[in-house]
Amino acid sequence: MNDANPVLAAIRSRRVVRAMTDEPLPRATLEEILDAARWAPTAGNRHLQRFVASDDPGTLRALRMVSPGMLQRPVAVVAICVDRDLAVDYGFARDAHSLSVDVGTAAATVLLAAHALGVGGGPVTSFSRAAAGVVLDVPAGWTPEFLVCLGHPAQGGPGEMRRGTRVTWQDLTVWAPRA
């Protein structure tokens, strides 16, 4: 293990934050996270993912009402969306698998950027896409696919979702046969 490498150290130390304080995030911090998000790898470097950000308490309350997976009470959220109209213009199918991959790389980038800036992050996939689109006033043609809750970590709150033995890379990997 190479803990001297700051990127690997960040990957190993990042955790999902399920309890957040009500301390606001500076807008500059949220903007820095969004700037990092644009560097996420995308299919064909087309950048079909889009972001809708909010730090408005009323919007966040309404979003929580349509997001059963939002256990934390974030002070900001980034909705990762896909511009499906633009995807079709580029020749992708509206439901192309690569669009979901782009959402995943953007989510990982947002979570790591937040962690690097001392901000807690928690992913949410259990939400009504249609209702979140209305609450966040998502532009036509975009679909919200993933929410990243942001805030300062708080003590207490929900614990880890699953406890047990530590999973190693060997537990998750098989080697393909040599040709």
Side-chain angles (χ1 to χ4, degrees), residues 25 28-37 78 110 113-114 117 119 150:
L25 287 181
T29 301
L30 186 53
E31 289 174 357
E32 193 165 357
I33 292 167
L34 292 164
D35 185 53
V78 174
V110 167
L117 295 169
V119 174
L150 298 169

Side-chain angles (χ1 to χ4, degrees), residues 60-148:
L60 296 173
R61 271 192 305 278
L63 189 59
R64 285 189 76 238
M65 292 184 343
V66 299
S67 305
M70 191 178 289
L71 302 177
Q72 55 280 87
R73 295 181 184 275
V75 295
V77 70
V78 174
I80 302 171
C81 303
V82 172
D83 186 337
R84 294 196 185 273
D85 292 344
L86 185 58
V88 169
D89 289 348
Y90 273 120
F92 287 92
R94 288 190 82 75
D95 60 351
H97 175 69
S98 59
L99 301 174
S100 296
V101 173
D102 289 356
V103 169
T105 60
T109 302
V110 167
L111 288 164
L112 282 171
H115 178 61
L117 295 169
V119 174
V124 175
T125 57
S126 175
F127 63 95
S128 166
R129 278 144 181 73
V134 171
V135 168
L136 295 169
D137 196 22
V138 172
W142 296 14
T143 56
E145 299 292 336
F146 196 100
L147 303 176
V148 179

